[in-house]
Amino acid sequence: MALTKNQRRTRIKNRIRKVVSGTETRPRLAVFRSNKEIYAQIVDDVNGKTISAASSRDKDISSAKGNKSEIATLVGKSLAEKALKAGVETIAFDRGGYLYHGRVKSLADGAREAGLKF
C-alpha cells in the first residue's frame, strides 16, 4: 500500500534528523510549514532548549502584505535578527522533510541575507 503524504514526510524527516542535530555552538534551524503559515525555530538539541523562534503569525510579520514566499523571507530575516542577538551565527538547517523549494527556500534565503551562516 502506498504511503500517505504525511507518512512520506515523516520518513524523510527522520532520515534528515539522523544526520542534522543542533549543538550549543551550531544549533539547528527547524522549519514547519502549514498550508497558511510558516514557523521556524533555532534549537539546541543537546540541552533541549529553543534559542529563538519566529513565525508568520508574529504581529510585525502578519500585518505585512505579500504572497506566502515573501512572508517566509520576512520570517527568515526576523529569526536571523533574534538569533544574532542571542549570539548565534552559524546554524544547521533542518528542512523538516519538505523540499528545499518555494517557501522553505525563501525562509533560508532571508536568514542568510540577515547574517546567519549555514
Side-chain angles (χ1 to χ4, degrees), residues 57-64:
R57 299 185 74 178
D58 294 348
K59 287 185 180 177
D60 55 335
I61 296 171
S62 64
S63 62

Side-chain angles (χ1 to χ4, degrees), residues 8-51:
R8 180 178 176 279
R9 190 180 81 80
T10 303
R11 278 193 182 177
I12 295 168
K13 183 178 176 182
N14 290 335
R15 244 188 346 250
I16 292 168
R17 289 286 287 120
K18 276 193 263 181
V19 178
V20 177
S21 74
T23 62
E24 204 168 323
T25 56
R26 189 172 183 202
R28 173 174 60 96
L29 191 160
V31 175
F32 177 74
R33 185 194 64 160
S34 71
N35 285 339
K36 288 185 176 181
E37 313 288 347
I38 190 158
Y39 308 85
Q41 58 183 349
I42 296 182
V43 182
D44 174 8
D45 291 315
V46 176
N47 297 323
K49 303 262 187 203
T50 298
I51 297 167

Side-chain angles (χ1 to χ4, degrees), residues 83-96:
L84 291 172
K85 284 181 187 172
V88 174
E89 291 181 7
T90 60
I91 55 152
F93 189 70
D94 175 12
R95 58 190 174 90

Side-chain angles (χ1 to χ4, degrees), residues 64-117:
K65 299 288 183 195
N67 61 27
K68 290 190 258 188
S69 293
E70 292 165 353
I71 289 176
T73 304
L74 294 176
V75 171
K77 288 179 182 176
S78 171
L79 183 68
E81 289 166 7
K82 291 177 184 178
L84 291 172
K85 284 181 187 172
V88 174
E89 291 181 7
T90 60
I91 55 152
F93 189 70
D94 175 12
R95 58 190 174 90
Y98 303 107
L99 292 176
Y100 186 78
H101 177 71
R103 286 190 279 160
V104 176
K105 185 175 189 290
S106 296
L107 188 140
D109 291 342
R112 279 194 191 99
E113 282 177 29
L116 279 183
K117 295 183 182 95

